[in-house]
């Protein structure tokens, strides 16, 4: 491809690519629903029993369903939401 044609093709790509993706106004983040656990590990709201210290975690996906990962006196543990 001649170098004279390369610049107009590059310019068209730069101008048309944002339009093809919907533009910056349509790139809104979807709000996190109330059913999803928070993304960061917070301190446990309930009192942690010593038996719970066996189930350590680093983030919420390591816990079973209806459990979250929260910070306790023995480290991060999985605690039930219910």
């Amino acid at each position: 491809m001649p170098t004279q044609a390369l610049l107009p093709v590059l310019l068209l790509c730069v101008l048309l690519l944002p339009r093809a993706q919907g533009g910056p106004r349509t790139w809104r983040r979807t709000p996190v629903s109330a059913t999803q656990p928070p993304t960061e590990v917070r301190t446990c709201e309930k009192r942690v029993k010593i038996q719970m210290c066996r189930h350590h975690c680093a983030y919420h996906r390591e816990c079973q369903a209806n459990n979250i990962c929260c910070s306790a006196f023995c480290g991060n543990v999985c605690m039930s939401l219910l």
Side-chain angles (χ1 to χ4, degrees):
M1 181 178 252
T3 56
Q4 295 173 346
L6 189 60
L7 187 60
V9 169
L10 182 63
L11 183 63
L12 281 174
C13 289
V14 170
L15 292 176
L16 294 178
L17 187 61
R19 295 243 182 225
Q21 293 177 347
R25 292 182 185 235
T26 59
W27 294 352
R28 295 191 181 129
R29 297 180 85 192
T30 55
V32 177
S33 67
T35 59
Q36 292 180 344
T39 54
E40 68 275 352
V41 177
R42 297 184 180 163
T43 57
C44 297
E45 295 177 5
K46 299 177 185 176
R47 188 172 190 156
V48 177
K49 297 178 182 176
I50 194 73
Q51 295 87 3
M52 297 175 78
C53 292
R54 286 184 266 155
H55 306 288
H56 288 278
C57 59
Y59 51 94
H60 301 293
R61 289 188 179 174
E62 292 181 1
C63 299
Q64 295 178 354
N66 292 329
N67 289 339
I68 61 168
C69 185
C70 63
S71 177
F73 64 91
C74 58
N76 292 344
V77 296
C78 293
M79 177 174 273
S80 175
L81 288 172
L82 304 175

